[in-house]
Amino acid sequence: GNIGIVYNALELPDTSLKYFERALAIAIRIDDKRAIAFSNNNIGVIWYKKKQYDKALMYFREALKIKMEIKEGRGIAGSRTNIASVYAEQGLYKEAIVEFDSALTFYRKMGDGEGTCSTLNLKGNTLRKMKLLDDAKACFLEAYEMATTDGNLPEVQNAAEGLAMVYDEKGDFAAAYKYYKQYSELKDSLTSEETTRKA
């Protein structure tokens, strides 16, 4: 499973998928529910990246079912966020918002700042596509403030990008420029750090 994660990070999804499928087969053989859910989720991520949304949804739903059986709160929230992301890509925005809100309830209850920020940014993007710009802005601002406080630079970057797009669409070009500039600077910095980390 971990080898699959590394290949996924290296943008080699086909190789990654082979390892995730091997991990799933082993997990089923030894009846490790947690590992079965984890492997289903990882396989879903690969199909999502390959834009095979029906397959991704099938694996995400299977992961969610098992996580609910074993009562793993953070895992439930993660699966709901993944399912919501598929819905958003399919244009099922209202269904996506329901899943994002469910995930946020779990993350907030557990005090999971990283999960909360990530889900707020994803929800913000979906609301922006729905042209609900004020609601989207509220999501991005909350994520931006929380991620800044926590020092979570990737989510600061995501929130800054979202705010830049919202302000641009609202015609507030000064605010859009401010956030786009920060997004661009963070992107350059994080890309460099990420390359070093991978090496």
Side-chain angles (χ1 to χ4, degrees), residues 40-100:
N40 271 296
N41 185 72
N42 286 338
I43 292 169
V45 167
I46 299 301
W47 287 120
Y48 177 81
K49 282 180 101 168
K50 290 163 86 64
K51 301 187 187 306
Q52 299 281 323
Y53 298 125
D54 288 340
K55 283 185 179 179
L57 209 49
M58 181 179 76
Y59 282 99
F60 288 149
R61 283 176 174 154
E62 184 62 24
L64 176 61
K65 187 178 85 173
I66 296 166
K67 286 170 184 177
M68 290 177 80
E69 279 174 23
I70 61 177
K71 297 182 171 57
E72 189 187 88
R74 194 175 194 281
I76 291 168
S79 288
R80 290 207 178 280
T81 298
N82 289 337
I83 289 167
S85 297
V86 174
Y87 285 152
E89 288 295 333
Q90 293 176 320
L92 302 169
Y93 299 134
K94 288 180 181 175
E95 291 87 342
I97 295 299
V98 169
E99 294 293 338
F100 282 136

Side-chain angles (χ1 to χ4, degrees), residues 24-36 66 69:
L24 178 59
I26 295 166
I28 290 169
R29 193 166 71 237
I30 63 174
D31 195 29
D32 183 335
K33 297 278 189 198
R34 194 184 202 84
I36 293 169
I66 296 166
E69 279 174 23

Side-chain angles (χ1 to χ4, degrees), residues 111-131:
D112 186 328
E114 187 175 351
T116 301
C117 286
S118 172
T119 304
L120 280 168
N121 280 325
L122 290 166
K123 181 183 175 185
N125 280 321
T126 303
L127 289 165
R128 189 180 63 78
K129 289 173 185 171
M130 296 169 77
K131 305 297 181 193

Side-chain angles (χ1 to χ4, degrees), residues 112-186:
D112 186 328
E114 187 175 351
T116 301
C117 286
S118 172
T119 304
L120 280 168
N121 280 325
L122 290 166
K123 181 183 175 185
N125 280 321
T126 303
L127 289 165
R128 189 180 63 78
K129 289 173 185 171
M130 296 169 77
K131 305 297 181 193
L132 299 171
L133 298 181
D134 288 333
D135 292 339
K137 185 175 90 169
C139 282
F140 289 131
L141 280 172
E142 186 182 349
Y144 181 86
E145 287 163 15
M146 187 181 292
T148 301
T149 301
D150 293 346
N152 184 345
L153 295 181
E155 292 305 336
V156 174
Q157 178 194 336
N158 290 334
E161 182 184 26
L163 286 165
M165 289 190 286
V166 166
Y167 281 119
D168 181 64
E169 287 172 33
K170 286 170 75 72
D172 187 342
F173 302 120
Y177 175 74
K178 171 192 157 187
Y179 284 108
Y180 181 77
K181 188 166 181 284
Q182 186 177 12
Y183 157 74
S184 185
E185 287 167 358
L186 278 169

Side-chain angles (χ1 to χ4, degrees), residues 153-155 157 185-195:
L153 295 181
E155 292 305 336
Q157 178 194 336
E185 287 167 358
L186 278 169
K187 186 180 178 189
D188 290 343
S189 162
L190 289 171
T191 301
S192 173
E193 283 178 27
E194 185 69 5
T195 305

